[in-house]
Amino acid sequence: MGGSDVAVSEDDVRHVAALARLGLDGDRVQSLVGELNRILEHMDVLQQVDIRGASLDPDAAHGLRMREDVPNPIPLHREREAFAPAMRDGFFLVPRLATHGTAARGDDEGDE
Amino acid sequence: MSDRSILARSAADVAADIVAGVLPTTAALDACRDAATSVQVGPEGLNAALWFDAAHARESLTSASMHGALAGIPVAVKDNIATLRMPTTCGSRMLEGYVSPFEATVVARLHAAGAVIPMKTNMDEFAMGSSTENSAWGPTKHPMDPARVPGGSSGGSAAVVAAGVTRIALGSETGGSVRQPAAFCGIVGVKPTYGRVSRHGLVAFASSLDQVGVFGQSVDDAALGLQVIAGVDPLDSTTVDAPVADYRATRDITGDRPLAGVVVGRPLEYFPASLDPAMRALLDRAADTLRALGAEIRDVSLPHTDLAIPVYYIVAPAEASSNLARFDGVRYGLRVDDGDGLRGMYEATRSRGFGPEVTRRILLGTYVLSAGYYDAYYKRAMAVRRLITDDFARVFASGVHVLLTPTTPTTAFLAGTKKDPYEMYLSDIFTATANLAGVPAMSQPIGRIEGLPVGGQLLAAQFDEATMFRVAYALERALGEEAHR
């Protein structure tokens, strides 16, 4: 795989920006195409590396230490009410989105 | 008026005097406050401190433990480490005004040792940068030359220590963000072994690479700071329950050959033909000094070194794209709701909250993780990361105790001169390997080029910070004032 095979297009930037929930205007999309391609060019060297000796299996010696699967509260230094903007019946109240009522127009459709 | 000479003494000595009642409990904090005013650490000057609250810190001293190793010692803390009294914004508009409801484990440990935290320091936004030019709150200036950068991303912490405002500061490391600014500013900077220090309360950038690091005006200041914050933490499952050695045990060892039996490796790949001859000469002098102290200098090879930057700039953005997904306008800080629905709110918030470098890295990370590119980029980068880790393991298993390299390829560069992102990324070329391999590493001053500091880097095997400090203490003592001219 060479650099030309993976060249990032404007569509790629828009697609990735949508996955990352980033709004970009047209000029920024264009400049990012150039920036990302210039950065990714430098990554092509990795394709030449012989990785047959590189194990990706978790190494037991460096594995995560497991703890008992019991929930522990985060030790907050203030009551939740002290930093939450508003609470009711033990739940956080968050501001209503201006158009929350119309949000069911495909906003949460699946993305890869 | 405070006694500014207190800041010329080691943090350990001053703390001992405060514990013994020789100095008032507020002596070091008052000296810090006056120094901060004098060198202008705020936006009117270095722009190194984002918040400075000496008055509250002074109040906290009356109730703080005055028996700890850092009794009464002011410690500056980077703005991505959670504190209760001051905001934690990560240098980003996204977290403007955010005050954490809990404090980081490292901050709690500083307090338990008697330290006071009078300031939060400027940084590249979400720790993404090598110059502290990417902060939403403006760039930090180099304390020796305001036209130059202090390095980054922990540039604010480096600048306040180099300017003599505090002896110790905390930063964070993902690819060199403590060692590189330490080298640029002529101070000591330590990145511990991955798992040595708790990340609880450190805002995540790339979780498999991030570690809290320590700046010190001297090796002893840095060793003391690390001593206080090191150790297993039930709130961070990636901390390792390994014994924490006495990092300061070798500080007073003198004699003709204090490093007899120590093997110092010099990896060829860190001394390319393109290396500035003046920098090579300072590294040669450091190696000669270590040899004179009894160490054996051995040429070694870490053959995958030149792949570290491509690997790092795949792995770190990939992890960042996931970690920074939480900043969506719902849970933290900024919310921009233009009345365009839920998705519109997400996109507007993130677009206006994140600066250009963070946006670029989120996109890069999302791209290398996306369908069709995951195997070619992310999976392959993780395999090469393993090869880099194996390089270090092989060298340390061969009997080498520490490695000596340059910390950076250049001295502090002029602000605004690195426009190309990849050129900026290359600032981390000698430091990112330690993060990828999880080994401890530190930078200490070894001389100057045209008046600008040069850092020498020591790296050690995982969890062997003690040997690294042993060599650093001896080198610092032997170089003396030569390290700063």
Side-chain angles (χ1 to χ4, degrees):
Chain A
M1 186 177 66
S4 57
D5 297 332
V6 295
V8 178
S9 67
E10 280 191 32
D11 283 348
D12 290 332
V13 170
R14 287 199 180 88
H15 173 63
V16 172
L19 292 177
R21 305 287 191 260
L22 284 163
L24 301 174
D25 64 31
D27 287 349
R28 187 71 182 118
V29 169
Q30 284 224 322
S31 68
L32 279 162
V33 168
E35 290 166 23
L36 294 184
N37 276 315
R38 278 195 297 280
I39 292 168
L40 287 167
E41 267 176 26
H42 295 278
M43 312 307 184
D44 285 345
V45 65
L46 298 180
Q47 308 306 325
Q48 316 305 323
V49 182
D50 180 357
I51 57 170
R52 282 172 297 181
S55 165
L56 283 179
D57 295 335
D59 180 343
H62 300 102
L64 283 182
R65 185 171 43 84
M66 306 299 281
R67 63 166 168 79
E68 291 297 308
D69 186 17
V70 289
N72 290 314
I74 293 176
L76 298 177
H77 289 254
R78 289 191 286 273
E79 294 297 315
R80 287 178 301 170
E81 287 76 0
F83 65 88
M87 293 192 73
R88 188 169 65 210
D89 301 330
F91 292 95
F92 293 114
L93 291 183
V94 297
R96 176 182 292 276
L97 285 162
T99 56
H100 201 259
T102 60
R105 52 177 177 81
D107 281 325
D108 288 320
E109 66 204 40
D111 279 310
E112 56 185 302
Chain B
M1 192 65 191
S2 67
D3 178 3
R4 293 276 295 277
S5 68
I6 286 171
L7 293 168
R9 300 174 57 205
S10 78
D13 284 353
V14 172
D17 276 0
I18 289 175
V19 169
V22 175
L23 284 172
T25 54
T26 58
L29 179 62
D30 289 347
C32 163
R33 179 201 58 208
D34 290 350
T37 306
S38 166
V39 305
Q40 296 188 310
V41 295
E44 73 284 4
L46 294 176
N47 200 29
L50 297 175
W51 291 275
F52 191 89
D53 188 358
H56 185 272
R58 210 166 190 280
E59 268 174 44
S60 71
L61 265 177
T62 56
S63 56
S65 159
M66 279 305 118
H67 304 288
L70 290 174
I73 300 298
V75 176
V77 171
K78 188 176 179 179
D79 192 37
N80 61 348
I81 297 174
T83 49
L84 292 173
R85 305 289 177 185
M86 287 178 277
T88 299
T89 74
C90 297
S92 180
R93 295 213 175 277
M94 184 63 88
L95 285 172
E96 185 168 9
Y98 173 73
V99 180
S100 172
F102 62 92
E103 66 183 2
T105 295
V106 290
V107 170
R109 289 184 179 180
L110 288 175
H111 282 139
V116 286
I117 297 171
M119 73 185 92
K120 297 292 286 290
T121 56
N122 202 3
M123 57 181 284
D124 285 304
E125 185 178 8
F126 285 104
M128 297 181 190
S130 306
S131 64
T132 317
E133 292 173 291
N134 293 339
S135 170
W137 320 124
T140 295
K141 295 175 178 133
H142 193 293
M144 293 166 62
D145 179 354
R148 293 180 188 274
V149 304
S153 65
S154 314
S157 285
V160 296
V161 173
V165 176
T166 65
R167 296 284 312 194
I168 301 173
L170 296 189
S172 68
E173 270 260 2
T174 306
S177 284
V178 168
R179 288 163 289 155
Q180 187 253 22
F184 278 12
C185 292
I187 57 173
V188 177
V190 181
K191 181 205 89 78
T193 307
Y194 184 81
R196 177 53 93 194
V197 174
S198 171
R199 292 181 294 116
H200 174 70
L202 168 68
V203 179
F205 161 13
S207 304
S208 77
L209 301 162
D210 295 340
Q211 273 290 282
V212 173
V214 184
F215 292 97
Q217 282 191 31
S218 65
V219 172
D220 195 52
D221 292 331
L224 177 62
L226 181 60
Q227 194 80 54
V228 166
I229 63 171
V232 68
D233 176 16
L235 296 174
D236 175 3
S237 64
T238 62
T239 54
V240 174
D241 194 5
V244 178
D246 179 0
Y247 299 140
R248 302 180 61 235
T250 51
R251 67 188 181 280
D252 294 326
I253 293 181
T254 51
D256 286 347
R257 294 168 58 80
L259 296 183
V262 174
V263 179
V264 177
R266 199 161 43 176
L268 304 173
E269 292 80 4
Y270 288 72
F271 296 86
S274 57
L275 187 67
D276 179 349
M279 189 167 287
R280 183 185 299 273
L282 289 173
L283 266 298
D284 285 346
R285 182 176 73 172
D288 291 343
T289 304
L290 293 174
R291 190 182 288 114
L293 293 166
E296 174 194 338
I297 307 296
R298 190 185 292 175
D299 286 336
V300 298
S301 176
L302 297 163
H304 297 95
T305 298
D306 62 344
L307 302 172
I309 292 298
V311 169
Y312 178 84
Y313 280 96
I314 290 173
V315 174
E319 294 187 23
S321 71
S322 171
N323 275 326
L324 271 60
R326 74 192 66 179
F327 302 108
D328 57 4
V330 174
R331 284 166 285 193
Y332 300 90
L334 182 70
R335 167 185 287 222
V336 180
D337 184 5
D338 293 334
D340 197 22
L342 182 61
R343 186 163 192 147
M345 188 278 288
Y346 286 155
E347 293 187 351
T349 299
R350 288 166 63 78
S351 304
R352 288 191 221 169
F354 292 137
E357 181 61 24
V358 174
T359 299
R360 189 181 298 122
R361 293 204 201 184
I362 289 174
L363 289 173
L364 183 61
T366 309
Y367 182 78
V368 300
L369 289 175
S370 63
Y373 302 107
Y374 176 87
D375 283 0
Y377 285 113
Y378 183 74
K379 196 171 170 188
R380 181 162 277 268
M382 288 301 284
V384 179
R385 177 181 184 178
R386 173 54 64 99
L387 297 176
I388 291 170
T389 306
D390 290 348
D391 282 353
F392 280 101
R394 199 175 304 114
V395 164
F396 289 124
S398 75
V400 171
H401 297 104
V402 298
L403 298 166
L404 172 68
T405 79
T407 308
T408 57
T410 67
T411 54
F413 47 85
L414 291 165
T417 53
K418 288 200 190 291
K419 302 285 190 201
D420 177 59
Y422 201 80
E423 193 190 347
M424 183 71 87
Y425 299 168
L426 290 175
S427 301
D428 302 332
I429 194 162
F430 297 145
T431 50
T433 47
N435 302 81
L436 292 168
V439 299
M442 66 188 288
S443 179
Q444 68 186 106
I446 58 164
R448 291 194 178 178
I449 298 174
E450 296 174 0
L452 292 170
V454 172
Q457 180 175 227
L458 297 172
L459 306 97
Q462 288 187 346
F463 298 104
D464 194 14
E465 284 88 354
T467 304
M468 186 172 78
F469 278 117
R470 177 184 172 192
V471 175
Y473 273 118
L475 180 61
E476 180 185 59
R477 188 182 303 110
L479 285 176
E481 284 306 306
E482 291 298 316
H484 299 283
R485 59 179 174 233

